[in-house]
Amino acid sequence: MVVVTGRGGGCARSGWVTTSRYAPPLAQHEVVMASRDCQVCLESYDEEKRKPRCLSCGHTLCNSCIADCLSRGPLLCPFCRLAHAAPVTYASDVPVNYTVISLLQDASYPLASQRTEALLAEVKKEANEFTTSQLVTCNCRLTRLHDFQQRLNEQCSVHRVHVQALRSLVERHEGLLRDMTGRAEQAAAIITKGEEIRSMLESAQGKVNGATNLLEVTAAHEEDRRYKTTVTEWDAAAHHLLQSQVVAAARELEFVTAAALQAVVERSMSAATAAVTPTKAIQPPLLQELVLEMVKQARLVGSSVWATTMKSGRPRRARVDQQGDHLFLSALQEGEPPLYSHTLPYEKVRGMVDEDYLMVFLEVSWGGQVQGRVNIKLTNAATRTRHFFYLCTGELGPSYGGTCLLEVENRGQPGERVWGGDYQANNGTGGVAMKGFTMGELTAQPVTAGLVASFCYGSDDHRKPSHFVVYTSDYPVTYEECPVGRVDQGLDLFRSVAKVSNVRDATVSDCGLVLLV
């Protein structure tokens, strides 16, 4: 076997020149001389531009040759054409061939000792820097992982206690439910028996009262006395059942569970609550983020968020909800918010409204379900516009919430429009103006799809100030004198309303303000 010893040969692996038993051995200085040169450019290795670097296939090239290979595409070995295993961007990403370095440091190699020491120091520095960076990364990650593990263990311990407590509470509920179910069945049986006994006693009493002689009275009384034992036993059973403490225990457990659920709701939102009611004013953008987070947390615990206020000593509430990218504040209505819900001051939430860009919404339902919401941008500050605004928010009392839509005009024709807004009679005959509001100055606008008008007096005597109209199609060469706004989103919903056979089956199930867009 003959081994090729020329430069660039496929057997010159990693810069080594091999021999065989059939060829005379190379002298030591010949091996060193062969190893000191790059087998591609035939230039001597050095500690800078031509530092020896080893590819994953085992062949060694200098910095310059590796850079030249990279300039033409992926790093392929010029000897065996294998691709380098690791991703490479720069020549320095390929590891140094320390075997060649050790040969370069051999005493027979004709380099000055200072140069050898400098090369050794540089190689050590490079290796140490690489290892140090990896150690720093490893130590940082380990420190954070240990802390994370500790916090996980602590939370696991806490939640194990909570789970055990909840299981105990559930077991109490299940045991009490079984007891109450049994008692209910027992009560039903005793009641049935009691009604039978009462019927027999009433029959016996009727015989006594209907007797016409002493013999009949005596016979009826003897029959009545036979029921004494039955009545006594029934009365004892009923008394024992009534002495049961199961109802009191149920009420106590109900109180404990209600308190626990309330604590869950309050705890899940405690941070948001503290931020929403600070001692200093909150900037609107931050308040919006906090309210959004509060709505999100409420959904996680199956609760809801309500804005509350008092008017004339009576509580009023308005739901705060999010759908898509919009945050909605529903119209105010009488009453307290539902149990276990979270509340915010209405004034705080109301303060998020941009008075220069007022937008309201109408939620439309038919067929027993909500079909969607229509957002309306108010386009002027006329008195009639503010009247429409307050009927959407309910801040002055009445609102459009719960009213049916009244009529479709020009169905399927140019100028098709949907009427609604009778908050009084809900049939089109009511809807007077609220105190202090008038039609105000008229402003003619061309009728186009999406135009919203209100306070529409005129030739139609059945139109009332609270009524509003939404145009679903253009009406060329026609003007509307009472515009209040324009549909910003959801016009197709009113077009669908216009196709409902009986438009009064469609209702404004909710209305209010759009807080965030």
Side-chain angles (χ1 to χ4, degrees):
M1 180 179 70
V2 178
V3 180
V4 179
T5 59
R7 289 171 179 162
C11 295
R13 187 173 182 83
S14 300
W16 289 88
V17 178
T18 60
T19 62
S20 73
R21 58 182 178 177
Y22 302 109
L26 295 175
Q28 182 180 10
H29 74 277
E30 291 178 316
V31 175
V32 173
M33 290 300 292
S35 302
R36 63 174 289 184
D37 297 336
C38 174
Q39 301 300 296
V40 175
C41 64
L42 305 181
E43 296 292 338
S44 298
Y45 293 123
D46 57 33
E47 63 272 36
E48 294 180 359
K49 184 177 180 181
R50 303 195 182 278
K51 182 179 293 185
R53 296 186 179 274
C54 185
L55 301 179
S56 57
C57 62
H59 292 106
T60 299
L61 282 73
C62 68
N63 268 1
S64 178
C65 291
I66 291 176
D68 185 53
C69 291
L70 287 173
S71 67
R72 294 192 295 270
L75 180 56
L76 300 175
C77 178
F79 304 118
C80 62
R81 307 306 296 169
L82 292 176
H84 188 61
V88 178
T89 304
Y90 303 103
S92 58
D93 295 335
V94 180
V96 176
N97 190 327
Y98 292 102
T99 303
V100 175
I101 294 295
S102 65
L103 287 173
L104 294 176
Q105 292 176 336
D106 190 84
S108 63
Y109 186 65
L111 286 175
S113 59
Q114 294 86 355
R115 184 177 179 183
T116 302
E117 293 176 0
L119 179 60
L120 176 61
E122 183 177 349
V123 172
K124 284 185 176 180
K125 180 181 178 182
E126 181 180 347
N128 282 329
E129 287 178 352
F130 178 79
T131 306
T132 300
S133 66
Q134 299 302 308
L135 281 173
V136 169
T137 301
C138 183
N139 288 333
C140 289
R141 288 288 183 268
L142 282 173
T143 300
R144 295 188 62 183
L145 283 170
H146 284 306
D147 179 64
F148 180 68
Q149 183 185 39
Q150 181 179 357
R151 287 185 284 114
L152 279 177
N153 291 335
E154 292 172 354
Q155 287 300 313
C156 284
S157 300
V158 172
H159 283 272
R160 286 192 189 97
V161 174
H162 290 173
V163 168
Q164 187 61 38
L166 289 173
R167 283 176 179 165
S168 176
L169 187 61
V170 170
E171 289 173 0
R172 289 180 60 188
H173 273 284
E174 291 175 343
L176 190 58
L177 183 59
R178 288 193 297 269
D179 191 11
M180 287 190 295
T181 302
R183 298 284 183 176
E185 293 174 353
Q186 185 179 0
I190 291 176
I191 290 172
T192 301
K193 182 66 175 177
E195 290 176 346
E196 292 175 357
I197 292 174
R198 180 177 64 182
S199 178
M200 290 188 297
L201 291 174
E202 288 176 348
S203 176
Q205 188 179 41
K207 290 180 181 180
V208 171
N209 293 333
T212 57
N213 54 58
L214 182 59
L215 182 61
E216 291 179 357
V217 171
T218 302
H221 183 55
E222 285 297 327
E223 183 181 353
D224 188 19
R225 289 171 65 87
R226 288 198 299 270
Y227 299 142
K228 181 178 181 181
T229 302
T230 302
V231 172
T232 301
E233 293 175 351
W234 175 84
D235 182 62
H239 178 74
H240 178 73
L241 178 62
L242 293 173
Q243 292 297 313
S244 171
Q245 298 297 315
V246 65
V247 175
R251 288 178 177 173
E252 179 183 356
L253 189 57
E254 177 189 5
F255 175 79
V256 171
T257 305
L261 291 174
Q262 184 66 32
V264 169
V265 174
E266 292 178 353
R267 183 176 180 84
S268 67
M269 300 181 185
S270 58
T273 303
V276 169
T277 55
T279 55
K280 295 183 179 180
I282 300 179
Q283 296 299 323
L286 178 58
L287 181 59
Q288 291 171 353
E289 293 176 5
L290 293 172
V291 175
L292 286 170
E293 180 63 22
M294 194 173 299
V295 172
K296 178 181 177 181
Q297 292 295 328
R299 288 178 177 174
L300 290 176
V301 297
S303 181
S304 55
V305 178
W306 294 77
T308 60
T309 187
M310 297 289 291
K311 184 176 182 181
S312 302
R314 301 194 310 273
R316 305 196 75 200
R317 59 182 181 174
R319 180 158 182 166
V320 183
D321 194 15
Q322 181 187 8
Q323 291 186 14
D325 296 331
H326 298 80
L327 189 65
F328 297 96
L329 176 63
S330 296
L332 277 167
Q333 53 184 295
E334 298 290 333
E336 297 281 359
L339 191 63
Y340 307 133
S341 61
H342 191 67
T343 60
L344 293 168
Y346 182 82
E347 293 74 16
K348 288 282 186 184
V349 184
R350 179 66 168 78
M352 295 168 56
V353 176
D354 185 354
E355 299 293 340
D356 296 327
Y357 193 85
L358 290 177
M359 186 175 290
V360 297
F361 75 91
L362 301 175
E363 181 183 86
V364 182
S365 301
W366 71 82
Q369 61 182 358
V370 175
Q371 301 295 330
R373 287 181 173 178
V374 179
N375 297 341
I376 300 172
K377 168 69 171 61
L378 303 184
T379 54
N380 58 62
T383 306
R384 61 177 174 273
T385 305
R386 290 189 290 112
H387 187 260
F388 178 77
F389 170 82
Y390 284 117
L391 280 172
C392 288
T393 65
E395 292 179 353
L396 299 183
S399 76
Y400 290 135
T403 63
C404 67
L405 296 175
L406 302 172
E407 184 181 357
V408 179
E409 290 184 334
N410 296 348
R411 189 190 298 266
Q413 303 296 323
E416 180 184 71
R417 51 193 178 271
V418 180
W419 286 91
D422 183 358
Y423 70 88
Q424 286 183 310
N426 204 22
N427 59 12
T429 63
V432 300
M434 292 186 292
K435 185 177 180 180
F437 291 91
T438 60
M439 174 184 285
E441 182 180 355
L442 300 179
T443 307
Q445 284 192 15
V447 173
T448 55
L451 185 65
V452 181
S454 185
F455 228 113
C456 302
Y457 284 129
S459 59
D460 296 333
D461 295 334
H462 65 291
R463 298 299 174 208
K464 306 299 180 183
S466 71
H467 296 185
F468 65 85
V469 60
V470 177
Y471 289 89
T472 59
S473 64
D474 297 344
Y475 204 176
V477 200
T478 306
Y479 292 82
E480 172 60 60
E481 295 182 326
C482 301
V484 296
R486 178 167 293 280
V487 173
D488 181 76
Q489 183 176 337
L491 181 58
D492 286 341
L493 186 59
F494 266 97
R495 288 174 175 154
S496 298
V497 169
K499 297 176 182 178
V500 176
S501 57
N502 184 2
V503 70
R504 297 198 178 187
D505 290 339
T507 62
V508 178
S509 51
D510 194 11
C511 55
L513 283 166
V514 181
L515 298 180
L516 180 65
V517 180

